Amino acid sequence: MGAQRGSGQIVLKRGRERRTYRLRPIPDAEKPAILKLYLESYKSAVQRYFPVPAGSPAAAFRDIASNYPVFELLP
């Protein structure tokens, strides 16, 4: 996996297959629900990086949303 800082794109590799995606930054107002889902999906691996406990409502992520970069991958 590689990203060129400032290029707005990333290349993901799986085996010999490579796919290039454009990155769309997600605005802070849209991040709470995404961060909640991410934490709940990968709790055992990522809880230590979040001051909000898994199982919290999405609103609990509002104050920390700006601390976490979130991107949509566009083909």
Side-chain angles (χ1 to χ4, degrees), residues 35-36 38-40 43 45-68:
L35 293 172
K36 174 184 171 52
Y38 175 70
L39 177 56
E40 290 176 357
K43 177 184 171 183
V46 301
Q47 176 63 77
R48 65 179 171 227
Y49 302 111
F50 286 87
V52 176
S56 296
F61 292 84
R62 267 191 223 124
D63 291 341
I64 65 165
S66 64
N67 297 331
Y68 296 86

Side-chain angles (χ1 to χ4, degrees), residues 15-73:
R16 293 182 181 202
E17 184 179 352
R18 296 170 56 102
R19 291 187 183 185
T20 301
Y21 295 91
R22 289 180 297 120
L23 299 173
R24 181 183 78 84
I26 301 296
D28 288 347
E30 296 176 29
K31 290 180 184 178
I34 296 168
L35 293 172
K36 174 184 171 52
L37 179 61
Y38 175 70
L39 177 56
E40 290 176 357
S41 297
Y42 302 101
K43 177 184 171 183
S44 63
V46 301
Q47 176 63 77
R48 65 179 171 227
Y49 302 111
F50 286 87
V52 176
S56 296
F61 292 84
R62 267 191 223 124
D63 291 341
I64 65 165
S66 64
N67 297 331
Y68 296 86
V70 178
F71 299 91
E72 177 181 10
L73 302 181

